[in-house]
Amino acid sequence: MNTRGTIDRPLTHDPQKQAPMKPSTSEPVGSAIPDLTTPGATDSRQNRTHQMQLIPEAMARAHMHERLSEADEQRQAMRLVIARRMQRRAERASRRARRALAMAVMQ
């Protein structure tokens, strides 16, 4: 079965493989309809599709960067909590030592 593609169902969706648009034969020469084959159009189209293919990668990279910065912030917060806990423990030990020294001197 060798059927040709239609406008609604083209044989391929790749613009490079589709037949180029030709001016209508019913139009007079020099009509107001310009020729649609612009020289740099295919290059810009290919560049645009390449950039669009890289979008998920860039989004994943940004997402990972955000997650890493969140993890760094959590680690810093955890270090601060641990440091304050150790400071309170050291202050309690210092008070106990002072009290013990005062009790030893009073006797």
Side-chain angles (χ1 to χ4, degrees):
M1 185 171 163
N2 192 7
T3 58
R4 302 185 76 192
T6 62
I7 292 175
D8 293 336
R9 293 176 183 262
L11 287 174
T12 178
H13 291 286
D14 187 9
Q16 297 281 324
K17 295 179 183 173
Q18 290 178 1
M21 295 188 70
K22 297 177 183 163
S24 174
T25 55
S26 63
E27 288 287 325
V29 178
S31 66
I33 300 173
D35 187 16
L36 295 177
T37 56
T38 309
T42 55
D43 293 338
S44 67
R45 189 179 307 126
Q46 285 176 343
N47 190 26
R48 206 172 14 213
T49 56
H50 181 67
Q51 286 173 347
M52 291 190 72
Q53 286 172 352
L54 294 178
I55 287 175
E57 188 177 328
M59 288 177 67
R61 198 175 295 120
H63 187 70
M64 284 301 295
H65 179 70
E66 188 176 329
R67 291 286 171 257
L68 285 172
S69 63
E70 284 177 8
D72 283 341
E73 288 175 6
Q74 285 181 352
R75 277 193 293 268
Q76 250 183 334
M78 207 50 162
R79 281 190 207 119
L80 182 64
V81 167
I82 291 170
R84 285 183 179 163
R85 191 179 302 146
M86 290 175 76
Q87 182 181 5
R88 285 193 300 266
R89 190 177 295 164
E91 287 171 355
R92 275 196 305 267
S94 173
R95 282 195 303 264
R96 274 197 304 265
R98 248 190 223 152
R99 198 174 311 127
L101 183 64
M103 295 292 269
V105 169
M106 287 176 77
Q107 287 182 358

